[in-house]
Amino acid sequence: SQQGEEDPQALSIQEGENATMNCSYKTSINNLQWYRQNSGRGLVHLILIRSNEREKHSGRLRVTLDTSKKSSSLLITASRAADTASYFCATDWGSGYALNFGKGTSLLVTP
Amino acid sequence: DAGVTQSPTHLIKTRGQHVTLRCSPISGHKSVSWYQQVLGQGPQFIFQYYEKEERGRGNFPDRFSARQFPNYSSELNVNALLLGDSALYLCASSLTGDIRTDTQYFGPGTRLTVL
């Protein structure tokens, strides 16, 4: 079963706008990770946020984590057409070795 | 440095056949994990190998098997293929395989189509 659930399922914005995607999960976690996937190809790791962290930045990306609400958000600022992709959040099951992915948010950035 | 590589890129098989997919991890990484991604879904965990030993297995039938070689490369084997096995198969490598501390680096995947 998939623990992470991304919202929205699809998002369409124009270049220069900000894109926000949300992820909710069910059980306690050690960390939460965000990945990007272009056109059904391999996953690219974007950012990892640990359970004791509340916010993390990487370039135009900002990730927040609220463990009390079991949710995370990914913000992409000043989006570009090249940001068009599917974005997935992934959590650990507690096993320490298996990532549990959501179904993803499909982002379309139009020029 | 080379990333995770997978072969072949695409594969078409018929029901009942078997298939072998291959993965080479990033140099220095000792852990390889396999994921299945059906169209429109997120990846699902199949196996993880570390130091040639199976560390964990997801909810997949025994038709799925894997192994890791002394050079840390890995093979995923699927027997008696079903139409539902059509998917993108992703390999990920990391130093120790512990997702609580290590980043998993994914390869480009093998697209398997079962007719």
Side-chain angles (χ1 to χ4, degrees), chain A residues 38-52:
Chain A
N38 291 81
S39 300
R41 298 300 289 168
L43 295 161
V44 175
H45 184 262
L46 295 176
I47 200 163
L48 180 153
I49 186 166
R50 303 193 188 285
S51 59
N52 61 352

Side-chain angles (χ1 to χ4, degrees), chain A residues 2 31 37 40 50 96 99, chain B residues 35 37 44 88 98-100 107:
Chain A
Q2 299 188 288
N31 63 56
Q37 185 175 42
R50 303 193 188 285
L99 282 170
Chain B
Y35 289 79
Q37 186 179 21
Q44 295 275 323
L88 180 69
D98 188 338
I99 60 172
R100 294 167 296 191

Side-chain angles (χ1 to χ4, degrees), chain A:
Chain A
S1 62
Q2 299 188 288
Q3 167 165 242
E5 290 289 337
E6 290 90 344
D7 173 66
Q9 286 188 326
L11 181 60
S12 181
I13 60 174
Q14 291 189 317
E15 269 190 326
E17 295 181 334
N18 296 340
T20 300
M21 288 158 263
N22 302 296
C23 169
S24 60
Y25 56 92
K26 298 174 185 174
T27 63
S28 61
I29 60 172
N30 294 294
N31 63 56
L32 186 144
Q33 305 182 46
W34 285 90
Y35 285 83
R36 185 185 76 225
Q37 185 175 42
N38 291 81
S39 300
R41 298 300 289 168
L43 295 161
V44 175
H45 184 262
L46 295 176
I47 200 163
L48 180 153
I49 186 166
R50 303 193 188 285
S51 59
N52 61 352
E53 297 175 309
R54 291 297 168 257
E55 188 171 311
K56 206 162 183 179
H57 296 255
S58 177
R60 295 183 296 111
L61 305 180
R62 189 190 95 174
V63 169
T64 61
L65 179 64
D66 187 336
T67 53
S68 66
K69 295 181 179 179
K70 292 186 170 60
S71 68
S72 173
S73 68
L74 170 66
L75 169 66
I76 304 174
T77 59
S79 62
R80 307 165 182 168
D83 294 328
T84 294
S86 292
Y87 292 82
F88 295 89
C89 68
T91 60
D92 64 302
W93 283 351
S95 65
Y97 54 79
L99 282 170
N100 195 350
F101 287 87
K103 294 183 179 180
T105 291
S106 179
L107 174 65
L108 174 63
V109 182
T110 55

Side-chain angles (χ1 to χ4, degrees), chain B residues 20-37:
Chain B
T20 298
L21 310 180
R22 296 178 175 82
C23 170
S24 291
I26 292 171
S27 178
H29 285 188
K30 298 182 178 180
S31 173
V32 170
S33 299
W34 288 95
Y35 289 79
Q36 180 197 64
Q37 186 179 21

